[in-house]
Amino acid sequence: MSHCFWSMTAWLALLALVRFVSPNPIIACSLIGNFVVFDITSYLPDALIPQYEGLRNTVLSWLEVFGVGNSAVDNSAESNRARQALSDAEHSLKLTRDEEKEAKENLEDLFDPEGFGPEGEWKKLDGLCLEKDTGDYTYEVCLFDEARQKPNKGGSSFSLGKFSSWNKASGAKPGELEYYTKQSYTNGAKCWNGPHRSVELVLTCGVENALLSVAELEKCEYQITGTTPALCRPLDEQKTKDEL
């Protein structure tokens, strides 16, 4: 009887302590539930285990009346699932917003006169690689990307520069045909005892996208000529321009 009384006294002390921590009876019972659910039989004398288990079952029945106890574990699991669902939804929303922002930026670039032209007419040539074999070397220009010099008899290839701008002449204005007749590729691999390699790509109207010639005008400064249908205009439009 003394053991039982001592156990009941211990439980009342525990209740008083938890109520001191939290005056809310529901929260207090939930805290007690955590103690009850925890397996402490391994710490009790064998003589007290039957009395503890009986008291434990009684307390658990009280907790069920208050809607806490084991249900607290279920509620915790539901809360974790809800938090995970919220985190997933926020992540999906962020991805959607990032994709929307990227699509908007791509659309602005597409119709940028200083980029792919006012009607986006150059976009279809983005990344198109053209080559010209000159015997010792093959010169490659990937439009809007990079120009390269590749030896035909083995050895390392060299970067001749990456796309940096359209025609930089003072009279060439974005949106006008003259502006799109030249491309600059700069900051390529450095020449021995010389500047960084660079390319000026000079384009004219032609029935196909092709490179025609390669010339080294200055040390490691190349001029490559080519043709593209993107520079061709309808005859009536050209006639009107000539008349003006």
Side-chain angles (χ1 to χ4, degrees), residues 29-172:
C29 288
S30 179
L31 293 173
I32 293 175
N34 291 332
F35 283 107
V36 171
V37 171
F38 182 71
D39 184 11
I40 64 172
T41 56
S42 58
Y43 300 97
L44 293 176
D46 292 341
L48 293 181
I49 292 177
Q51 297 163 0
Y52 161 75
E53 290 179 345
L55 185 57
R56 178 180 180 277
N57 293 336
T58 300
V59 172
L60 285 175
S61 65
W62 294 348
L63 295 177
E64 291 178 0
V65 172
F66 284 101
V68 293
N70 288 338
S71 63
V73 178
D74 296 337
N75 291 338
S76 177
E78 291 178 2
S79 297
N80 289 337
R81 286 194 293 270
R83 282 193 292 269
Q84 185 60 48
L86 176 60
S87 176
D88 292 343
E90 290 176 340
H91 180 65
S92 297
L93 179 60
K94 182 180 183 301
L95 289 178
T96 300
R97 287 175 174 172
D98 290 345
E99 291 174 357
E100 181 183 4
K101 180 181 178 182
E102 183 179 359
K104 183 178 180 181
E105 291 174 351
N106 289 339
L107 187 62
E108 291 175 352
D109 291 340
L110 176 61
F111 299 106
D112 181 4
E114 296 184 9
F116 296 122
E119 299 179 2
E121 61 269 29
W122 290 90
K123 176 61 178 177
K124 59 185 177 181
L125 300 183
D126 184 18
L128 175 65
C129 295
L130 307 175
E131 291 187 345
K132 178 62 178 179
D133 186 342
T134 62
D136 291 334
Y137 299 96
T138 292
Y139 291 84
E140 178 186 67
V141 178
C142 294
L143 299 177
F144 301 98
D145 187 9
E146 187 175 15
R148 301 192 67 84
Q149 180 192 60
K150 300 184 291 185
N152 291 335
K153 299 178 181 179
S156 301
S157 64
F158 292 96
S159 172
L160 300 182
K162 292 190 175 182
F163 175 76
S164 58
S165 68
W166 286 101
N167 195 345
K168 294 181 292 185
S170 58

Side-chain angles (χ1 to χ4, degrees), residues 218-236:
E218 299 288 344
K219 184 176 182 179
C220 297
E221 296 180 2
Y222 301 87
Q223 183 185 78
I224 301 177
T225 64
T227 59
T228 175
L231 285 174
C232 300
R233 292 293 182 266
L235 293 178
D236 56 348

